[in-house]
């Protein structure tokens, strides 16, 4: 008998009121350890899909199970990283990271220990007392990721977290994200516009099509983890980036 | 020349120029009309001569302004919280808040005296009414203008309604609250003065600055009248300086408006 998937979407359709269908019968599963990137043209509903899994919006028809429960019931297993760092400007880095634990009523001593641990993971332990406005864009995003990791989620949902950063910072953070995963096992759903980023990070790439949003293709990424900056130099990496780009372009052309 | 030096020199020069113009205007008026514009020297003398009664009046006005200001802060904050909770409540009450703001309080001052009694009571109520509107409008706006992403973050972490209000909406409203507070701080001493002018009396406490103004005016003691105005100005400065300091204390570490000073 196959194991129960960590995340299972069955024929998920999303429609806001009587408006157009945003997502049409999307089926998708993920196992522990999966890193799934969602890529596709604007309006293909990839961010919406992420929000449905997070339980931030209700689905119209179909079903989503997370660890055998509804997304709402599984809230403790899920963490979301928004496009923006979404930090509270009046709290220090340390207190921003402690916030989810405080909201959940974790004991102060445990909060301090966990906050220290995730700060170390994102290599920001020296900035614990800084305020968000004193940080660079990349540092803010690392705080946002540290906050998401503070509740030890089983699944991390990331909605284009590095979209606003420059290329160099983005590549560094991609490497860091994978490095963190060597210490903490979580499955990831990662929305991005960057094919290179998707290939570097994921073991599966889901290419979506628009109008209505649906899954067009699933492309496995066979490279073994851990991956490093060296991975980007390999021939296989470049070939796969070219292949995924080709599929993505065919989807975009079909829509046009 | 250093910027700091210019920052002192320029306002001082403007002030000197202003006083010079003042004297020029005064001397061009002709001697028989000069009583209409006392010289700064006359005003200082009047300030000295009436020091006792002016100090007592200033104290009374300060007391009225402080009490009215404080009451307005407390009541407006509570009301803003209530208004922020539901758009239905906002829709129901907002027109009447506007109406309250448009109401010329000075017309109601005489009847207010009958309702709450003359002196301090009336002064506090009038100050309260004048300070209330900018406070409630700004605080409400602040409480409902919370960054949508942050609200979503709190929902994501299944924060309770109380947690969302206390840990997110209230601190996010601080910049708006302090904007309202700064406006109200300039209005409080003026409100107290107006209250005292229309509803004050010498009964009991000897009245405030507004009452003094009436007396000086009726006695044609114009230098003393100017001195009364000057004291009201100083009172206003103290109120505003206090609010600006408070706002700095609360926000300078994190709010963008203080970025330059911090960098």
């Amino acid at each position: 008998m196959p194991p129960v998937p960590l995340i299972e979407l069955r024929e998920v359709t999303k429609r806001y009121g009587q408006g157009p269908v945003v997502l049409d019968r999307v089926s998708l599963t993920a196992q522990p350890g999966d890193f799934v990137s969602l890529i596709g043209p604007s309006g293909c509903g990839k961010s919406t899909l992420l929000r449905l899994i997070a339980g931030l919006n209700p689905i119209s028809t179909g079903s989503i199970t997370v660890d055998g429960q509804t997304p709402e019931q599984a809230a403790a297993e899920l963490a979301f990283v928004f496009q923006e760092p979404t930090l509270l400007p009046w709290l220090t880095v340390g207190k921003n990271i402690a916030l989810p634990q405080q909201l959940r009523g974790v004991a102060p001593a445990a909060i301090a220990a966990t906050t220290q641990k995730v700060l170390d993971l994102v290599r920001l332990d020296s900035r614990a007392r800084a305020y968000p406005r004193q940080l660079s864009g990349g540092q803010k995003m690392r705080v946002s990721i540290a906050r998401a990791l503070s509740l030890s989620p089983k699944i991390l949902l990331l909605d284009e977290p590095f979209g606003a950063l420059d290329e160099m910072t983005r590549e560094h953070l991609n490497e860091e994200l994978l490095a963190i995963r060597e210490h903490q096992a979580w499955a990831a759903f990662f929305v991005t516009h960057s094919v290179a980023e998707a290939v570097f990070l994921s073991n599966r790439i889901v290419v979506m099509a628009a109008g209505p949003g649906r899954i067009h293709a699933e492309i496995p990424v066979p490279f073994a983890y851990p991956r490093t900056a060296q991975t980007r130099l390999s021939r296989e990496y470049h070939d796969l980036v070219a292949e995924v780009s080709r599929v993505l372009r065919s989807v975009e052309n079909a829509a046009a | 020349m250093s910027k700091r030096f210019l920052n002192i020199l320029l306002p001082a020069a403007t002030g000197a120029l202003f006083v010079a113009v003042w004297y020029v205007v005064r001397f061009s008026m002709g001697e028989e009309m000069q009583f209409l514009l006392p010289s700064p020297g006359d005003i200082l003398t009047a300030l000295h001569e009436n020091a006792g009664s002016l100090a007592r009046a200033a104290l009374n006005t300060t007391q009225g302004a402080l009490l009215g200001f404080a009451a307005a802060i407390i009541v407006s904050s509570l009301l803003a919280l209530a208004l922020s909770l539901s758009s239905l409540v906002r829709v129901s009450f907002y027109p009447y808040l506007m109406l309250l703001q448009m109401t010329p309080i000075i017309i109601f001052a005489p009847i207010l005296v009958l309702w709450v009694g003359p002196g301090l009571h009336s002064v506090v109520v009038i100050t309260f009414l004048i300070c209330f509107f900018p406070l409630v409008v700004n605080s409400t706006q602040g409480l409902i203008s919370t960054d949508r992403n942050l609200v979503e973050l709190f929902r994501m972490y299944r924060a309770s309604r109380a947690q969302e209000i206390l840990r997110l909406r209230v601190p996010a409203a601080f910049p708006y609250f302090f904007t309202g507070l700064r406006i109200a701080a300039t209005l409080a001493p003026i409100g107290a003065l107006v209250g005292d002018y229309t509803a004050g009396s010498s009964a009991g406490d000897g009245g405030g600055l507004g009452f003094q103004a009436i007396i000086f005016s009726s006695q044609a003691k114009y230098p003393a009248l100017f001195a009364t105005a000057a004291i009201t100005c100083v009172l206003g400065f103290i109120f505003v300086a206090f609010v600006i300091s408070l706002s700095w204390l609360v926000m300078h570490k994190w709010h963008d408006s203080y970025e330059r000073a911090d960098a």
Side-chain angles (χ1 to χ4, degrees):
Chain A
M1 204 175 89
V4 178
L6 183 58
I7 293 184
E8 183 168 31
L9 285 79
R10 265 192 231 159
E11 302 272 305
V12 170
T13 295
K14 177 64 183 175
R15 202 173 169 189
Y16 290 100
Q18 292 303 303
V21 175
V22 183
L23 285 171
D24 187 26
R25 286 167 295 162
V26 171
S27 295
L28 190 63
T29 60
Q31 303 295 345
D34 268 347
F35 198 121
V36 181
S37 282
L38 304 169
I39 197 163
S42 301
C44 71
K46 51 193 190 295
S47 288
T48 304
L49 188 60
L50 210 60
R51 297 173 60 84
L52 296 181
I53 299 172
L56 284 171
N57 297 107
I59 55 176
S60 302
T61 61
S63 72
I64 298 181
T65 54
V66 176
D67 214 15
Q69 311 164 79
T70 67
E72 287 77 16
Q73 291 165 337
E77 320 290 353
L78 293 160
F80 201 100
V81 178
F82 295 88
Q83 272 176 27
E84 308 284 326
T86 322
L87 304 177
L88 274 56
W90 55 88
L91 294 184
T92 60
V93 165
K95 286 181 176 165
N96 262 292
I97 293 175
L99 179 77
Q101 304 169 74
Q102 288 172 340
L103 293 177
R104 204 154 281 177
V106 178
I111 291 179
T114 307
T115 302
Q116 188 56 48
K117 195 186 80 189
V118 293
L119 267 172
D120 286 341
L121 275 180
V122 298
R123 299 189 297 113
L124 274 176
D125 42 316
S126 63
R127 307 309 310 270
R129 288 168 184 278
Y131 285 85
R133 74 161 189 214
Q134 296 168 292
L135 304 181
S136 70
Q139 288 175 326
K140 284 183 200 167
M141 214 58 232
R142 274 147 68 186
V143 176
S144 186
I145 290 169
R147 179 180 59 194
L149 298 177
S150 68
L151 293 174
S152 308
K154 284 188 183 165
I155 301 139
L156 201 55
L157 306 167
L158 305 105
D159 187 6
E160 277 189 66
F162 310 135
L165 303 176
D166 63 82
E167 192 67 26
M168 282 296 287
T169 310
R170 173 193 285 234
E171 289 191 354
H172 280 303
L173 285 176
N174 284 342
E175 289 151 27
E176 271 187 39
L177 196 61
L178 290 188
I180 291 169
R181 243 163 70 92
E182 298 296 316
H183 301 276
Q184 275 197 337
W186 30 264
F189 274 76
F190 190 96
V191 168
T192 180
H193 273 115
S194 160
V195 172
E197 185 173 60
V199 171
F200 181 75
L201 291 172
S202 343
N203 66 338
R204 282 160 61 203
I205 297 175
V206 173
V207 182
M208 295 180 68
R214 60 196 186 277
I215 293 180
H216 174 76
E218 260 196 64
I219 304 170
V221 182
F223 317 133
Y225 296 98
R227 297 175 192 168
T228 63
Q230 290 298 317
T231 308
R232 289 199 193 89
L233 303 176
S234 75
R235 178 67 190 270
E236 292 78 10
Y237 172 81
H238 281 277
D239 287 349
L240 193 55
V241 169
E243 164 68 8
V244 176
S245 299
R246 193 189 56 73
V247 175
L248 188 59
R249 223 172 2 255
S250 75
V251 168
E252 280 169 348
N253 289 341
Chain B
M1 211 179 288
S2 83
K3 192 153 181 282
R4 173 175 282 184
F5 186 64
L6 278 178
N7 280 347
I8 298 166
L9 185 75
L10 289 178
T14 316
L17 187 70
F18 179 72
V19 172
V21 170
W22 185 322
Y23 274 106
V24 169
V25 171
R26 183 174 147 84
F27 284 111
S28 68
M29 285 170 86
E31 213 152 300
E32 69 281 8
M33 297 299 279
Q34 277 181 5
F35 73 98
L36 285 176
L37 186 64
S39 73
D42 296 340
I43 295 168
L44 283 176
T45 310
L47 199 60
H48 183 69
E49 281 170 0
N50 300 285
S53 56
L54 279 175
R56 200 185 56 231
L59 216 59
N60 285 335
T61 299
T62 306
Q63 190 189 6
L66 271 181
L67 288 172
F69 187 49
I73 293 170
I74 294 167
V75 177
S76 71
S77 298
L78 294 175
L79 183 64
L81 211 53
L83 289 172
S84 73
L85 292 179
S86 136
S87 60
L88 290 178
V89 179
R90 275 199 298 287
V91 171
S92 320
F93 284 96
Y94 240 73
Y96 302 103
L97 273 174
M98 292 294 287
L99 195 70
L100 177 69
Q101 168 66 3
M102 300 308 163
T103 306
I105 288 162
I106 209 151
I107 290 179
F108 286 99
I111 195 109
L112 260 177
V113 177
L114 297 179
W115 286 350
V116 300
L120 186 64
H121 288 133
S122 291
V123 174
V124 170
V125 171
I126 289 170
T127 308
F128 170 88
L129 288 173
I130 287 178
C131 292
F132 184 71
F133 188 75
L135 283 170
V136 78
V137 167
N138 279 287
S139 297
T140 307
Q141 195 60 41
L143 288 168
I144 63 174
S145 301
T146 317
D147 184 344
R148 268 195 56 206
N149 290 327
L150 293 178
V151 173
E152 200 144 64
L153 180 82
F154 270 62
R155 303 258 155 95
M156 180 75 211
Y157 287 119
R158 304 295 187 269
S160 68
R161 188 81 173 152
Q163 285 174 326
E164 186 185 314
I165 291 170
L166 291 177
R167 286 173 174 270
L168 177 60
R169 290 192 183 273
V170 169
F174 279 164
Y176 293 82
F177 170 73
F178 279 110
T179 302
L181 204 61
R182 212 174 282 204
I183 298 169
T186 62
L187 295 175
I190 296 171
L193 188 85
V194 167
D196 194 54
Y197 197 89
T198 53
S201 81
S202 59
D205 57 13
L209 290 168
F211 193 69
Q212 278 299 321
I214 296 176
I215 294 173
F216 289 141
S217 179
S218 67
Q219 296 169 342
K221 284 185 176 170
Y222 299 124
L225 195 63
F226 273 76
T228 312
I231 290 176
T232 314
C233 286
V234 171
L235 202 56
F237 268 117
I238 294 171
F239 265 73
V240 173
F242 173 74
V243 167
I244 288 175
S245 314
L246 190 66
S247 135
W248 182 86
L249 264 180
V250 174
M251 299 197 299
H252 77 280
K253 280 190 179 154
W254 58 271
H255 196 251
D256 285 343
S257 60
Y258 295 99
E259 189 131 42
R260 203 179 281 265
D262 208 51

